[in-house]
Amino acid sequence: QHNPHTKHGRTAIVHLFEWRWADIAAECERFLAPNGYAGVQISPPNEHITLTSPWYPWWQRYQPTGYNLCSRSGNENELRDMITRCNNVGVNIYVDVVINHMCGAGGGEGTHSSCGGWFSASRKDFPSIPFTNMDFNDHKCRTGSGDIENYGDANQVRDCRLVGLLDLALEKDYVRGKVAGFMNKLVDMGVAGFRVDACKHMWPGDLQNTLGRLHNLNTKWFSGGSRPFIYQEVIDLGGEPITSREYFHLGRVTEFKYGAKLGTIFRKWNGEKLSYTKSWGEGWGFMPDGNALVFIDNHDNQRGHGAGGAAIATFWDPRIHKMAVAYMLAHPYGVARVMSSFRWDRNFVNGKDQNDWIGPPSHGNGATKPVPINPDQTCGDGWVCEHRWRQIKNMATFRNVVNGQPHANWWDNQSNQVAFGRGNRGFIVFNNDDWNLDVTLNTGMPGGTYCDVVSGNKDGGRCSGKQIQVGGDGHAHFKISNQDEDPFVAIHADSKL
Ligand code: QV4
Ligand code: CA
């Protein structure tokens, strides 16, 4: 189902990657709701393997060992409290669910799992669910290694092991029932939907059956008959037999071309220019608007996993990252997701980060640290909190203010200076060239003085950033130095002084 069921005209989702439930609950109340964020994507909440070599990597959470709800982010009570408190302030929760597989085949045997439950990867035995060796796909897989070896063969992509992860037989009624039961427990607790991991590796028919078993959303917070929002992780950059299109009828799909292209454009690689984005969206060969879930970076490709490579614009390149995220939030295409990261010690050897496995800030024993908030509203202890950066936070508001308005009043200099508006509700101007921008443009907005929400905030009647004068004819003069800390300017109906 394609509708995120957002509340109060809010639009943007933030992925609070690896945050603890207690911190997310507090963040919903103190920051997300007051600043108009629509929802949170949370890390997988169920039991997962714990590994010590490498030391508690972030990706251990993509190796389920059971469906009990205790994880590195907290226990079931903390999860329930978080869902309740976020819902009570109108912030939706979307759960990252890993249902294609269990842990790696080499995961051993014992109680090294986040709830302390016993399992055996070697015997394919997960008694807390229970799944046994009859619930996996190995008999169907035809590759020598049992792993996916060739993405050109759709059968092995669906029926073999993704990097050695024990592949569930989702064709079985029993497995479908267990997976749906796990998801329904979360639906009943009040979540609004799911980011479904590794959908390329599951048959659309199996997914359709499983998702068809989901309950309607909890009527304490959602109107009767509401179906869970589904967005499916399928990496489709073209060139493979499995396409995003096969999944459109089930829900939205992650559009990986979006961040890969926009990163390339803002980096000015491969001869790309910002002016070419006049037809951004479907005009670039992206999936239909109503199917797309868009983002600049995600938890994989910000550290070299997944797709997109070095072009991806992450918090490590803040100037480019802020521009790319602002472009996404200003543009009408897709449901938008903002990444909120933790920092780690990058260590590139021959272009590969040796530390791409490092988990969230922790006390050393694998217990994730809380997110402390500094007096200036930034986060401490290695939490990056991109969603709190003024430029990004204010663009999330921009997206809400212009929601439903058409892309309008495009201008470009045939290079890397562009501008566009959203009806008569908002206007944004970018200068990604190596020279100044100095131009008068039709903003389409009512006359008046507006506060630029990139360089500052509107606070009461005052503006801490640049002020933009829009004349009675909708025209305004813009000057943006290529030396500016953030070489873009954005105004909207609610930033009028
Ligand atoms: C290793 C070898 C295998 C070998 C296996 C033997 O590489 O060849 O068969 O040991 O046991 C980790 C390790 C990986 C290891 C594997 C199994 O990195 O080296 O295999 O565990 O032990 C995340 C990480 C992976 C990690 C995985 C499980 O990115 O590195 O694997 O979690 O912990 C494709 C998919 C797409 C996927 C993307 C990364 O189409 O669906 O790759 N993205 C999603 C998630 C991603 C997650 C998974 C899928 C798996 O966004 O975070 O992978 O749930 O494009
Ligand atoms: Ca599979």
Side-chain angles (χ1 to χ4, degrees), residues 237-308:
L237 297 176
E240 290 178 21
I242 298 176
T243 63
S244 295
R245 200 177 321 118
E246 295 175 53
Y247 296 86
F248 288 168
H249 59 297
L250 302 174
R252 289 187 182 253
V253 182
T254 50
E255 178 49 278
F256 275 83
K257 291 174 187 165
Y258 194 102
K261 288 288 181 196
L262 208 51
T264 308
I265 291 162
F266 276 105
R267 290 180 192 280
K268 299 186 260 187
W269 286 358
N270 303 347
E272 291 287 6
K273 290 182 178 152
L274 201 48
S275 59
Y276 299 160
T277 65
K278 184 174 185 179
S279 59
W280 189 242
E282 292 170 21
W284 271 62
F286 302 164
M287 65 183 74
D289 184 11
N291 293 110
L293 187 291
V294 299
F295 48 96
I296 298 305
D297 60 331
N298 79 349
H299 71 281
D300 285 327
N301 63 19
Q302 70 172 195
R303 46 175 53 69
H305 288 233

Side-chain angles (χ1 to χ4, degrees), residues 99-101 137 148 155-162 165-170 198-203:
I99 58 174
N100 170 66
H101 51 263
N137 268 336
I148 299 166
N155 287 303
Q156 61 172 276
V157 173
R158 264 83 176 247
D159 292 338
C160 296
R161 296 172 179 176
L162 168 62
L165 299 161
L166 293 172
D167 204 56
L168 283 167
L170 210 55
C199 285
K200 182 188 284 184
H201 307 282
M202 296 182 278
W203 295 95

Side-chain angles (χ1 to χ4, degrees), residues 134-181:
M134 289 152 20
D135 299 320
F136 294 87
N137 268 336
D138 301 82
H139 60 287
K140 280 205 281 175
C141 172
R142 298 265 168 271
T143 65
S145 63
D147 286 358
I148 299 166
E149 295 171 359
N150 173 12
Y151 276 77
D153 171 2
N155 287 303
Q156 61 172 276
V157 173
R158 264 83 176 247
D159 292 338
C160 296
R161 296 172 179 176
L162 168 62
V163 294
L165 299 161
L166 293 172
D167 204 56
L168 283 167
L170 210 55
E171 82 205 1
K172 287 183 66 178
D173 185 70
Y174 176 78
V175 175
R176 293 168 173 178
K178 287 296 175 186
V179 168

Side-chain angles (χ1 to χ4, degrees), residues 51-82:
L51 299 166
T52 48
S53 178
W55 190 256
Y56 299 98
W58 62 268
W59 41 255
Q60 64 185 12
R61 296 183 74 169
Y62 291 90
Q63 301 198 27
T65 56
Y67 293 150
N68 289 325
L69 297 173
C70 35
S71 65
R72 195 174 193 171
S73 291
N75 63 32
E76 179 169 339
N77 286 335
E78 291 163 324
L79 176 67
R80 189 182 300 276
D81 178 63
M82 179 268 283

